[in-house]
Amino acid sequence: LKDLVGLCCSAMIVEAAIVLGSAAALAGAVYYECVTTIVLLITVLSSVTFFGRWLGGLVHFLDKSEQMFIKGLTDITVVNGPCVKIVNPLTCMNIAKKQAQMLGNLEYAVVMDVMSGKQWVEVGPQLLFLAAYDSIVNVSQGQTLSQTEYVEVTNQITGEVSIRKGPCVWFPSVPQEISQPKRQAVALQEDEFVRMKNVMTGDRWVQRGKTLLFLEPKWKKEGSVEKAWTLKSFEYVRLLDKVTGKVSVHRGEKTVFPGPDEEALDSGKQSAIDLKVGEYVRLEDQSTGEVRVVRGVNKVFLGPNDRMVDGGKQKAVHIDDEQAVLVRDTASGQLQLTKDKQLFVPGPNDKIEEVRQMIKLEDHEAMIIKDKNGVMHIHYGNTKKSSENLPRSFFLQPYDSVVHLLWSKGMRREERTLRIERFDLRPQYMWFEFDCRTSDNVELVLEVTMFWEVVELMTMIRCTGNLPGDIYNQARSLFIKRVAQVTLKQFMEQLHSIAGAIHTADPDFYVKRGVSILSLEVTRYKCAEERTSEVLQQIIEEATNRLNRLSQAESENEIKIFKMQGEIEQCKLNGDLLELKHAQAQEDARNVGAAEADCVSAFVQGLQEDVPKLEDRMMVWQGVRQTEAPQK
C-alpha cells in the first residue's frame, strides 16, 4: 500500500509538472500568478507524499523464511512469517527484518539468550527462528562416524570425558561439549592382541581378538597390535613376566597369548633343537650353573632357565686312524688326546680344544716338535735319518707344538713372512738380485741363481731362524767385495770365474748353518744407470755382431769343406764301385768254371759203364763240345 501511494503521488507530481508547464506556456505573461500556483502545487504534493509514506510504514508483509523484530517502548516483539503485520506507529520505535537461519542435515547452531547468558544447541535440519533476545554464536558441522570410528567428547563445565561410537552423526548435546578428531577403532583378528592400561587405576590387561575395540578415555594402548604365537608340535615360546621375573614355557600345538606383563624371550617362538645321529647340544641351567649334554636322535625344548652353550647344535667327532680329539677337562684344566675309535661326544665338563689330523711326512720332509719341557725332536719322513726312532706318521701330543720359522721372500728378501713348518730336505732352487759397483764406478744389478740343500736340520734351527735371508746377505756381501776389485770389462770377461770363486769362498758359513750350496750362477746383469746401460748394450751388440760375422764365415768355410768332402766321398765310392764290379766279374767267372767242371765231371762219370777208359770218355766229351760250338 505504501508503494502504491508513493507511485500515485509521483504520477500526480509528473502530471502537475506537465500542467504547470502548459500553463506557463499559455500564460507566460502572468509571472507572479504562475509562481504562486507552482508553490501551492508543490506544497500539496509534498503533503500527499508524506501521507503515503506514513501509511505504507504501518503494513508489513513477511514470507516463510523471514521474521520481524519490532522494538516497542519497553519490549521487543518477534513476528515470524509468513504473515501480514500492521504496526502501530505511535508505539513502535524500530522495525528490523531478518532471514531465519537454515540448518542442513549435518549442521548445528549454538544459540545464546543475551539477557540470561544461557546457551543451547539447535540441530538441523530445520529453519531456525530466533526469539527476541536470542543470538547465534556459531554454526558448525557435525562429525560423521562410520561403524569403525568414534570420537572423544569433553564437557568443559564438568570435565567429564566420554566417547561416541559410530555409525552416527555426532552433534554436541550442550554447547560446552568439544570433540577431538575422530579416531579409528582397533580391529583385532582371532590371533591378534593389544596391551591396554587404565591410566586412572594403573591396571593393565591384554585385549584379545576377535573384536572391534573402542578406546575409552581413560584407556591407553601400549604398543601396536601384535600377533599371538601359533605353535606347531615342534615349536615353543618362552615368556618372561617382567614383574615377578618368572619364565614360563609353552609348547605346541596351540595359540599362546601373553599376560599383561609378559614378553617373549629368544625373539619370539622357536623351533625345538632337532638332533640327528651324530649330533649333540650342550645346555646350561642358568639358575644352578649345571651343564648337561643331550645327544641325538632327539627334539630338545629349552627349559625356563636353559641356554645353549658353545654355539648351539654341534657335530660329534669321528675318531679314526686319521683323526684324534684334544679335550680339556674344565674341572681340572688337564688336556687329553683321545684316539680311541668312536663317535666322540664330549661330557658336561669336557671342552674340545682341537680336532687334530694325523701328520704324515713324505720321504723328503721333516718336522720339528717341541715337547712340554721345551726339548725339540725331529721327525723325518725317511726314518733312517732319525736317531730317536721317531715315527713318520703321528698325532701331535698334548702340550706339544710344531716349531715354525719365518723365512724371507722376494727377489731382495725384504719380506719375512714365509711360514715354514715342514722342511723340504731336497735340493732347492733360489734366485735373488742385488746391487754392486765395479772399480770403474759402474753400478750393476746382478741376478743370481743358487741350488742349495739342508743337510743338518738341527744345526740350522740352532744357528738361524731365517736361512734364505742369511744366504742372500752372505752372497751379496761376497759379490760386492769381488766386483769392487774389477772393472766392467774384466767383470764381463771373468763373470763365471767370479761366481765360482764366490761359490767356494767361506764354506764354514754354510756348514755352521747345516746347509750345502750345490751351485751358484749369475744368470743376468744390467747397469743401474740408463746411460751406462745404453753403452753396455752397444758393447754387447758389437760383440754379438762380431760373433755373428765369425759364425757366418765359419758357416761358409764349413759349406766349402762339406762340398769337398762330398766330392772326395764320391770318388771313393766310384773306386769302391769298380772294385766291386771286378770282384763280381771274377766271382762270376769262377762260378761259370765250376759249373762247367761239374758238367764235365757228371758227363764223364755218366759214361763210365759204357766207356770204361777215361781217354775214350774225354774224346767223346770233346766231340760233343765241338758239335755244340757251331750251334752257339
Side-chain angles (χ1 to χ4, degrees):
L1 180 60
K2 180 180 178 181
D3 295 337
L4 181 60
V5 172
L7 183 60
C8 292
C9 292
S10 299
M12 291 173 65
I13 293 172
V14 173
E15 290 177 357
I18 295 173
V19 172
L20 289 176
S22 300
L26 295 175
V30 189
Y31 176 75
Y32 179 77
E33 292 180 0
C34 290
V35 172
T36 304
T37 304
I38 291 171
V39 171
L40 180 61
L41 288 174
I42 291 173
T43 303
V44 173
L45 291 175
S46 298
S47 299
V48 173
T49 301
F50 173 76
F51 176 76
R53 290 183 178 275
W54 177 78
L55 183 61
L58 299 178
V59 181
H60 296 273
F61 297 91
L62 302 176
D63 61 17
K64 294 181 180 180
S65 62
E66 290 181 328
Q67 60 180 166
M68 185 171 62
F69 293 81
I70 304 171
K71 184 176 182 181
L73 298 177
T74 60
D75 199 0
I76 297 176
T77 304
V78 178
V79 179
N80 297 332
C83 67
V84 177
K85 179 66 176 177
I86 299 175
V87 180
N88 185 358
L90 299 178
T91 61
C92 177
M93 297 180 63
N94 187 22
I95 298 174
K97 276 187 180 182
K98 294 183 180 180
Q99 288 286 333
Q101 180 68 44
M102 175 60 70
L103 298 178
N105 292 333
L106 301 179
E107 293 180 326
Y108 69 93
V110 178
V111 183
M112 181 177 67
D113 187 338
V114 297
M115 298 301 293
S116 63
K118 182 181 178 181
Q119 294 183 356
W120 65 95
V121 176
E122 294 288 345
V123 178
Q126 65 168 310
L127 189 60
L128 178 60
F129 292 94
L130 300 178
Y133 298 100
D134 291 349
S135 173
I136 296 178
V137 178
N138 60 65
V139 178
S140 301
Q141 291 280 339
Q143 290 193 12
T144 303
L145 303 177
S146 67
Q147 188 174 1
T148 61
E149 293 177 333
Y150 69 99
V151 66
E152 188 176 294
V153 179
T154 303
N155 191 316
Q156 293 179 310
I157 296 178
T158 63
E160 181 182 356
V161 182
S162 59
I163 63 171
R164 301 292 187 272
K165 303 178 183 178
C168 68
V169 178
W170 175 81
F171 299 101
S173 57
V174 294
Q176 291 76 23
E177 285 186 346
I178 60 173
S179 66
Q180 301 295 330
K182 61 184 179 181
R183 302 175 182 176
Q184 285 286 340
V186 180
L188 297 177
Q189 302 300 324
E190 292 180 352
D191 60 342
E192 293 179 336
F193 68 93
V194 65
R195 301 176 189 271
M196 304 297 299
K197 181 179 180 180
N198 190 322
V199 296
M200 300 296 294
T201 63
D203 294 337
R204 301 175 71 249
W205 72 96
V206 171
Q207 184 67 48
R208 303 182 182 183
K210 183 177 184 180
T211 185
L212 190 62
L213 179 62
F214 295 90
L215 300 184
E216 295 291 339
K218 57 185 177 181
W219 292 358
K220 178 183 177 182
K221 185 175 70 169
E222 295 184 330
S224 58
V225 176
E226 300 179 52
K227 286 279 189 181
W229 296 283
T230 302
L231 303 179
K232 300 177 183 177
S233 60
F234 57 88
E235 293 178 331
Y236 69 97
V237 64
R238 299 195 298 177
L239 301 180
L240 170 65
D241 192 317
K242 294 185 291 184
V243 176
T244 63
K246 183 179 179 181
V247 179
S248 58
V249 180
H250 302 269
R251 298 185 183 181
E253 301 171 342
K254 62 180 178 180
T255 300
V256 178
F257 290 89
D261 299 313
E262 289 182 334
E263 63 179 11
L265 297 177
D266 313 314
S267 302
K269 68 179 179 181
Q270 300 290 318
S271 296
I273 304 171
D274 185 15
L275 297 179
K276 297 181 173 56
V277 177
E279 295 179 337
Y280 69 94
V281 65
R282 294 164 59 91
L283 303 178
E284 179 187 4
D285 190 330
Q286 298 180 85
S287 61
T288 62
E290 180 183 355
V291 178
R292 70 181 190 276
V293 178
V294 182
R295 306 179 60 165
V297 176
N298 200 352
K299 286 191 179 296
V300 181
F301 295 87
L302 296 184
N305 300 312
D306 287 346
R307 74 176 183 94
M308 292 186 292
V309 295
D310 298 337
K313 184 169 63 175
Q314 302 288 330
K315 289 280 189 181
V317 181
H318 292 269
I319 299 179
D320 51 23
D321 294 335
E322 303 290 330
Q323 190 167 257
V325 179
L326 183 64
V327 181
R328 183 183 296 276
D329 188 336
T330 55
S332 62
Q334 296 299 312
L335 289 174
Q336 179 182 358
L337 185 66
T338 303
K339 297 187 290 184
D340 297 336
K341 297 179 181 180
Q342 59 177 301
L343 189 61
F344 179 76
V345 175
N349 297 324
D350 292 340
K351 180 181 179 182
I352 298 178
E353 294 289 341
E354 184 183 357
V355 177
R356 291 186 171 177
Q357 303 295 326
M358 175 173 281
I359 300 173
K360 298 180 180 180
L361 299 177
E362 300 289 341
D363 290 341
H364 59 273
E365 290 181 331
M367 182 174 285
I368 303 175
I369 305 298
K370 182 187 292 185
D371 62 19
K372 61 182 179 180
N373 298 320
V375 179
M376 290 188 291
H377 306 274
I378 301 179
H379 291 257
Y380 289 95
N382 186 353
T383 55
K384 295 179 181 180
K385 296 182 179 180
S386 176
S387 60
E388 302 179 59
N389 197 23
L390 298 176
R392 62 185 295 175
S393 299
F394 59 95
F395 288 106
L396 193 63
Q397 296 299 314
Y399 307 105
D400 288 358
S401 61
V402 178
V403 177
H404 69 272
L405 300 180
L406 290 179
W407 284 3
S408 299
K409 66 178 183 178
M411 290 294 290
R412 294 181 180 267
R413 297 299 184 269
E414 295 174 343
E415 298 180 7
R416 190 177 177 181
T417 57
L418 184 61
R419 183 184 177 95
I420 302 296
E421 292 182 350
R422 292 177 181 242
F423 296 92
D424 193 337
L425 303 181
R426 296 174 297 182
Q428 299 186 56
Y429 172 74
M430 179 169 59
W431 67 97
F432 46 84
E433 68 176 18
F434 45 79
D435 300 332
C436 59
R437 191 177 294 273
T438 62
S439 61
D440 52 355
N441 202 27
V442 177
E443 186 177 1
L444 298 176
V445 179
L446 304 184
E447 184 175 310
V448 179
T449 59
M450 178 185 294
F451 278 94
W452 58 282
E453 180 182 7
V454 176
V455 293
E456 290 292 338
L457 184 58
M458 188 59 72
T459 302
M460 182 197 72
I461 292 295
R462 290 172 179 171
C463 185
T464 180
N466 183 13
L467 181 61
D470 290 356
I471 294 175
Y472 169 80
N473 288 303
Q474 173 69 2
R476 176 175 175 271
S477 176
L478 294 176
F479 266 102
I480 289 175
K481 291 180 181 179
R482 291 282 183 174
V483 174
Q485 299 173 3
V486 297
T487 63
L488 176 61
K489 182 179 179 181
Q490 292 173 340
F491 172 79
M492 295 173 62
E493 294 174 351
Q494 304 173 13
L495 176 61
H496 295 292
S497 61
I498 292 174
I502 293 174
H503 178 206
T504 57
D506 196 6
D508 291 341
F509 176 85
Y510 303 106
V511 172
K512 291 178 181 179
R513 285 162 177 76
V515 65
S516 173
I517 305 301
L518 304 179
S519 67
L520 186 147
E521 295 179 357
V522 178
T523 56
R524 183 172 176 266
Y525 64 90
K526 64 179 180 179
C527 294
E529 296 181 0
E530 184 176 355
R531 292 182 59 187
T532 308
S533 180
E534 292 177 356
V535 174
L536 179 61
Q537 186 66 28
Q538 292 176 1
I539 295 173
I540 294 173
E541 289 179 358
E542 182 61 29
T544 303
N545 293 334
R546 183 172 62 84
L547 293 175
N548 289 337
R549 289 193 295 270
L550 291 174
S551 178
Q552 184 177 2
E554 290 177 357
S555 298
E556 292 176 354
N557 292 334
E558 287 178 358
I559 291 173
K560 292 179 180 180
I561 292 171
F562 184 76
K563 185 176 180 181
M564 294 175 63
Q565 289 177 349
E567 292 177 353
I568 293 171
E569 290 294 330
Q570 185 176 4
C571 292
K572 289 181 179 180
L573 291 175
N574 289 334
D576 293 341
L577 179 60
L578 292 175
E579 291 179 358
L580 289 174
K581 288 182 177 180
H582 180 68
Q584 184 66 33
Q586 290 179 349
E587 183 66 25
D588 291 343
R590 282 195 295 269
N591 292 335
V592 171
E596 185 68 21
D598 292 339
C599 183
V600 172
S601 176
F603 182 81
V604 172
Q605 290 178 1
L607 293 177
Q608 186 176 1
E609 293 180 359
D610 297 332
V611 183
K613 292 183 178 182
L614 179 61
E615 294 82 359
D616 295 337
R617 291 197 297 271
M618 292 300 297
M619 291 178 64
V620 174
W621 169 253
Q622 291 178 358
V624 172
R625 294 291 292 174
Q626 291 176 357
T627 304
E628 291 177 352
Q631 295 178 356
K632 295 181 178 180

PDB file of all heavy atoms in Angstrom, residues 256-279:
ATOM      1  N   VAL A 256      49.199 -69.085  21.721  1.00  0.00           N
ATOM      2  CA  VAL A 256      49.589 -68.543  23.021  1.00  0.00           C
ATOM      3  C   VAL A 256      49.448 -67.025  22.991  1.00  0.00           C
ATOM      4  O   VAL A 256      50.019 -66.354  22.121  1.00  0.00           O
ATOM      5  CB  VAL A 256      51.042 -68.935  23.365  1.00  0.00           C
ATOM      6  CG1 VAL A 256      51.455 -68.324  24.697  1.00  0.00           C
ATOM      7  CG2 VAL A 256      51.183 -70.443  23.399  1.00  0.00           C
ATOM      8  N   PHE A 257      48.663 -66.506  23.976  1.00  0.00           N
ATOM      9  CA  PHE A 257      48.570 -65.070  24.206  1.00  0.00           C
ATOM     10  C   PHE A 257      49.331 -64.748  25.490  1.00  0.00           C
ATOM     11  O   PHE A 257      49.157 -65.437  26.499  1.00  0.00           O
ATOM     12  CB  PHE A 257      47.111 -64.623  24.353  1.00  0.00           C
ATOM     13  CG  PHE A 257      46.317 -64.698  23.082  1.00  0.00           C
ATOM     14  CD1 PHE A 257      45.644 -65.862  22.731  1.00  0.00           C
ATOM     15  CD2 PHE A 257      46.244 -63.611  22.233  1.00  0.00           C
ATOM     16  CE1 PHE A 257      44.909 -65.936  21.567  1.00  0.00           C
ATOM     17  CE2 PHE A 257      45.507 -63.671  21.061  1.00  0.00           C
ATOM     18  CZ  PHE A 257      44.842 -64.838  20.722  1.00  0.00           C
ATOM     19  N   PRO A 258      50.159 -63.703  25.497  1.00  0.00           N
ATOM     20  CA  PRO A 258      50.914 -63.390  26.712  1.00  0.00           C
ATOM     21  C   PRO A 258      50.038 -62.703  27.748  1.00  0.00           C
ATOM     22  O   PRO A 258      48.951 -62.189  27.447  1.00  0.00           O
ATOM     23  CB  PRO A 258      52.004 -62.446  26.201  1.00  0.00           C
ATOM     24  CG  PRO A 258      51.362 -61.745  25.052  1.00  0.00           C
ATOM     25  CD  PRO A 258      50.462 -62.760  24.407  1.00  0.00           C
ATOM     26  N   GLY A 259      50.523 -62.687  28.990  1.00  0.00           N
ATOM     27  CA  GLY A 259      49.879 -61.909  30.024  1.00  0.00           C
ATOM     28  C   GLY A 259      50.229 -60.439  29.882  1.00  0.00           C
ATOM     29  O   GLY A 259      51.078 -60.054  29.066  1.00  0.00           O
ATOM     30  N   PRO A 260      49.611 -59.577  30.694  1.00  0.00           N
ATOM     31  CA  PRO A 260      49.856 -58.134  30.550  1.00  0.00           C
ATOM     32  C   PRO A 260      51.301 -57.735  30.824  1.00  0.00           C
ATOM     33  O   PRO A 260      51.778 -56.736  30.286  1.00  0.00           O
ATOM     34  CB  PRO A 260      48.891 -57.511  31.562  1.00  0.00           C
ATOM     35  CG  PRO A 260      48.562 -58.605  32.521  1.00  0.00           C
ATOM     36  CD  PRO A 260      48.609 -59.870  31.741  1.00  0.00           C
ATOM     37  N   ASP A 261      52.019 -58.490  31.656  1.00  0.00           N
ATOM     38  CA  ASP A 261      53.399 -58.140  32.000  1.00  0.00           C
ATOM     39  C   ASP A 261      54.404 -59.100  31.384  1.00  0.00           C
ATOM     40  O   ASP A 261      55.584 -59.086  31.753  1.00  0.00           O
ATOM     41  CB  ASP A 261      53.573 -58.138  33.525  1.00  0.00           C
ATOM     42  CG  ASP A 261      52.671 -57.117  34.200  1.00  0.00           C
ATOM     43  OD1 ASP A 261      52.628 -55.971  33.712  1.00  0.00           O
ATOM     44  OD2 ASP A 261      52.001 -57.467  35.190  1.00  0.00           O
ATOM     45  N   GLU A 262      53.977 -59.939  30.445  1.00  0.00           N
ATOM     46  CA  GLU A 262      54.868 -60.934  29.857  1.00  0.00           C
ATOM     47  C   GLU A 262      55.376 -60.472  28.500  1.00  0.00           C
ATOM     48  O   GLU A 262      54.646 -59.830  27.733  1.00  0.00           O
ATOM     49  CB  GLU A 262      54.149 -62.280  29.704  1.00  0.00           C
ATOM     50  CG  GLU A 262      53.882 -62.981  31.021  1.00  0.00           C
ATOM     51  CD  GLU A 262      53.224 -64.334  30.827  1.00  0.00           C
ATOM     52  OE1 GLU A 262      52.538 -64.515  29.792  1.00  0.00           O
ATOM     53  OE2 GLU A 262      53.385 -65.200  31.696  1.00  0.00           O
ATOM     54  N   GLU A 263      56.616 -60.828  28.229  1.00  0.00           N
ATOM     55  CA  GLU A 263      57.209 -60.576  26.920  1.00  0.00           C
ATOM     56  C   GLU A 263      58.003 -61.809  26.515  1.00  0.00           C
ATOM     57  O   GLU A 263      58.458 -62.587  27.360  1.00  0.00           O
ATOM     58  CB  GLU A 263      58.110 -59.348  26.935  1.00  0.00           C
ATOM     59  CG  GLU A 263      59.311 -59.463  27.829  1.00  0.00           C
ATOM     60  CD  GLU A 263      60.183 -58.216  27.794  1.00  0.00           C
ATOM     61  OE1 GLU A 263      59.741 -57.193  27.248  1.00  0.00           O
ATOM     62  OE2 GLU A 263      61.305 -58.292  28.323  1.00  0.00           O
ATOM     63  N   ALA A 264      58.158 -61.971  25.198  1.00  0.00           N
ATOM     64  CA  ALA A 264      58.791 -63.182  24.672  1.00  0.00           C
ATOM     65  C   ALA A 264      60.307 -63.084  24.768  1.00  0.00           C
ATOM     66  O   ALA A 264      60.901 -62.045  24.482  1.00  0.00           O
ATOM     67  CB  ALA A 264      58.376 -63.409  23.227  1.00  0.00           C
ATOM     68  N   LEU A 265      60.907 -64.176  25.197  1.00  0.00           N
ATOM     69  CA  LEU A 265      62.357 -64.315  25.115  1.00  0.00           C
ATOM     70  C   LEU A 265      62.730 -64.916  23.763  1.00  0.00           C
ATOM     71  O   LEU A 265      61.876 -65.412  23.031  1.00  0.00           O
ATOM     72  CB  LEU A 265      62.862 -65.213  26.248  1.00  0.00           C
ATOM     73  CG  LEU A 265      62.645 -64.706  27.684  1.00  0.00           C
ATOM     74  CD1 LEU A 265      63.143 -65.739  28.677  1.00  0.00           C
ATOM     75  CD2 LEU A 265      63.350 -63.379  27.906  1.00  0.00           C
ATOM     76  N   ASP A 266      63.998 -64.879  23.433  1.00  0.00           N
ATOM     77  CA  ASP A 266      64.524 -65.541  22.220  1.00  0.00           C
ATOM     78  C   ASP A 266      63.892 -64.996  20.948  1.00  0.00           C
ATOM     79  O   ASP A 266      63.774 -65.711  19.944  1.00  0.00           O
ATOM     80  CB  ASP A 266      64.300 -67.059  22.273  1.00  0.00           C
ATOM     81  CG  ASP A 266      64.697 -67.665  23.596  1.00  0.00           C
ATOM     82  OD1 ASP A 266      65.786 -67.316  24.082  1.00  0.00           O
ATOM     83  OD2 ASP A 266      63.919 -68.464  24.148  1.00  0.00           O
ATOM     84  N   SER A 267      63.399 -63.739  20.967  1.00  0.00           N
ATOM     85  CA  SER A 267      62.814 -63.117  19.762  1.00  0.00           C
ATOM     86  C   SER A 267      61.582 -63.854  19.267  1.00  0.00           C
ATOM     87  O   SER A 267      61.361 -63.997  18.065  1.00  0.00           O
ATOM     88  CB  SER A 267      63.857 -63.044  18.635  1.00  0.00           C
ATOM     89  OG  SER A 267      64.989 -62.317  19.055  1.00  0.00           O
ATOM     90  N   GLY A 268      60.764 -64.343  20.172  1.00  0.00           N
ATOM     91  CA  GLY A 268      59.510 -64.972  19.759  1.00  0.00           C
ATOM     92  C   GLY A 268      59.594 -66.483  19.782  1.00  0.00           C
ATOM     93  O   GLY A 268      60.414 -67.091  20.483  1.00  0.00           O
ATOM     94  N   LYS A 269      58.728 -67.092  18.991  1.00  0.00           N
ATOM     95  CA  LYS A 269      58.665 -68.553  19.008  1.00  0.00           C
ATOM     96  C   LYS A 269      59.913 -69.152  18.382  1.00  0.00           C
ATOM     97  O   LYS A 269      60.527 -68.577  17.486  1.00  0.00           O
ATOM     98  CB  LYS A 269      57.405 -69.045  18.295  1.00  0.00           C
ATOM     99  CG  LYS A 269      57.373 -68.806  16.798  1.00  0.00           C
ATOM    100  CD  LYS A 269      56.087 -69.356  16.201  1.00  0.00           C
ATOM    101  CE  LYS A 269      56.015 -69.118  14.688  1.00  0.00           C
ATOM    102  NZ  LYS A 269      54.758 -69.641  14.110  1.00  0.00           N
ATOM    103  N   GLN A 270      60.271 -70.318  18.873  1.00  0.00           N
ATOM    104  CA  GLN A 270      61.472 -71.012  18.431  1.00  0.00           C
ATOM    105  C   GLN A 270      61.118 -72.450  18.077  1.00  0.00           C
ATOM    106  O   GLN A 270      60.144 -73.013  18.582  1.00  0.00           O
ATOM    107  CB  GLN A 270      62.533 -71.011  19.536  1.00  0.00           C
ATOM    108  CG  GLN A 270      62.971 -69.624  19.980  1.00  0.00           C
ATOM    109  CD  GLN A 270      63.768 -68.914  18.926  1.00  0.00           C
ATOM    110  OE1 GLN A 270      64.623 -69.511  18.271  1.00  0.00           O
ATOM    111  NE2 GLN A 270      63.504 -67.628  18.736  1.00  0.00           N
ATOM    112  N   SER A 271      61.941 -73.015  17.193  1.00  0.00           N
ATOM    113  CA  SER A 271      61.798 -74.432  16.864  1.00  0.00           C
ATOM    114  C   SER A 271      62.642 -75.247  17.829  1.00  0.00           C
ATOM    115  O   SER A 271      63.730 -74.826  18.248  1.00  0.00           O
ATOM    116  CB  SER A 271      62.247 -74.703  15.427  1.00  0.00           C
ATOM    117  OG  SER A 271      61.413 -74.041  14.505  1.00  0.00           O
ATOM    118  N   ALA A 272      62.130 -76.397  18.182  1.00  0.00           N
ATOM    119  CA  ALA A 272      62.903 -77.289  19.039  1.00  0.00           C
ATOM    120  C   ALA A 272      64.191 -77.690  18.323  1.00  0.00           C
ATOM    121  O   ALA A 272      64.259 -77.725  17.090  1.00  0.00           O
ATOM    122  CB  ALA A 272      62.081 -78.521  19.392  1.00  0.00           C
ATOM    123  N   ILE A 273      65.217 -77.965  19.089  1.00  0.00           N
ATOM    124  CA  ILE A 273      66.507 -78.359  18.516  1.00  0.00           C
ATOM    125  C   ILE A 273      66.381 -79.792  18.019  1.00  0.00           C
ATOM    126  O   ILE A 273      66.150 -80.717  18.801  1.00  0.00           O
ATOM    127  CB  ILE A 273      67.620 -78.238  19.564  1.00  0.00           C
ATOM    128  CG1 ILE A 273      67.655 -76.817  20.136  1.00  0.00           C
ATOM    129  CG2 ILE A 273      68.965 -78.593  18.956  1.00  0.00           C
ATOM    130  CD1 ILE A 273      68.580 -76.671  21.322  1.00  0.00           C
ATOM    131  N   ASP A 274      66.516 -79.954  16.702  1.00  0.00           N
ATOM    132  CA  ASP A 274      66.355 -81.270  16.080  1.00  0.00           C
ATOM    133  C   ASP A 274      67.722 -81.942  16.001  1.00  0.00           C
ATOM    134  O   ASP A 274      68.568 -81.565  15.188  1.00  0.00           O
ATOM    135  CB  ASP A 274      65.742 -81.107  14.686  1.00  0.00           C
ATOM    136  CG  ASP A 274      65.428 -82.444  14.039  1.00  0.00           C
ATOM    137  OD1 ASP A 274      65.419 -83.458  14.769  1.00  0.00           O
ATOM    138  OD2 ASP A 274      65.206 -82.478  12.815  1.00  0.00           O
ATOM    139  N   LEU A 275      67.949 -82.907  16.865  1.00  0.00           N
ATOM    140  CA  LEU A 275      69.227 -83.611  16.906  1.00  0.00           C
ATOM    141  C   LEU A 275      69.119 -84.912  16.135  1.00  0.00           C
ATOM    142  O   LEU A 275      68.230 -85.730  16.404  1.00  0.00           O
ATOM    143  CB  LEU A 275      69.629 -83.897  18.356  1.00  0.00           C
ATOM    144  CG  LEU A 275      69.871 -82.671  19.251  1.00  0.00           C
ATOM    145  CD1 LEU A 275      70.233 -83.119  20.650  1.00  0.00           C
ATOM    146  CD2 LEU A 275      70.953 -81.785  18.671  1.00  0.00           C
ATOM    147  N   LYS A 276      70.019 -85.087  15.185  1.00  0.00           N
ATOM    148  CA  LYS A 276      70.088 -86.324  14.420  1.00  0.00           C
ATOM    149  C   LYS A 276      71.242 -87.166  14.944  1.00  0.00           C
ATOM    150  O   LYS A 276      71.945 -86.779  15.879  1.00  0.00           O
ATOM    151  CB  LYS A 276      70.250 -86.017  12.938  1.00  0.00           C
ATOM    152  CG  LYS A 276      69.067 -85.270  12.334  1.00  0.00           C
ATOM    153  CD  LYS A 276      69.276 -85.020  10.864  1.00  0.00           C
ATOM    154  CE  LYS A 276      68.027 -84.422  10.220  1.00  0.00           C
ATOM    155  NZ  LYS A 276      67.568 -83.190  10.870  1.00  0.00           N
ATOM    156  N   VAL A 277      71.425 -88.311  14.310  1.00  0.00           N
ATOM    157  CA  VAL A 277      72.517 -89.195  14.719  1.00  0.00           C
ATOM    158  C   VAL A 277      73.845 -88.466  14.507  1.00  0.00           C
ATOM    159  O   VAL A 277      74.082 -87.864  13.462  1.00  0.00           O
ATOM    160  CB  VAL A 277      72.487 -90.503  13.907  1.00  0.00           C
ATOM    161  CG1 VAL A 277      73.677 -91.384  14.279  1.00  0.00           C
ATOM    162  CG2 VAL A 277      71.186 -91.240  14.154  1.00  0.00           C
ATOM    163  N   GLY A 278      74.693 -88.504  15.521  1.00  0.00           N
ATOM    164  CA  GLY A 278      75.984 -87.845  15.409  1.00  0.00           C
ATOM    165  C   GLY A 278      75.949 -86.377  15.777  1.00  0.00           C
ATOM    166  O   GLY A 278      76.914 -85.662  15.514  1.00  0.00           O
ATOM    167  N   GLU A 279      74.863 -85.908  16.398  1.00  0.00           N
ATOM    168  CA  GLU A 279      74.764 -84.513  16.809  1.00  0.00           C
ATOM    169  C   GLU A 279      74.475 -84.442  18.307  1.00  0.00           C
ATOM    170  O   GLU A 279      73.901 -85.368  18.896  1.00  0.00           O
ATOM    171  CB  GLU A 279      73.666 -83.784  16.035  1.00  0.00           C
ATOM    172  CG  GLU A 279      73.953 -83.659  14.546  1.00  0.00           C
ATOM    173  CD  GLU A 279      72.841 -82.959  13.797  1.00  0.00           C
ATOM    174  OE1 GLU A 279      71.694 -82.963  14.303  1.00  0.00           O
ATOM    175  OE2 GLU A 279      73.109 -82.418  12.706  1.00  0.00           O
TER     176      GLU A 279
END
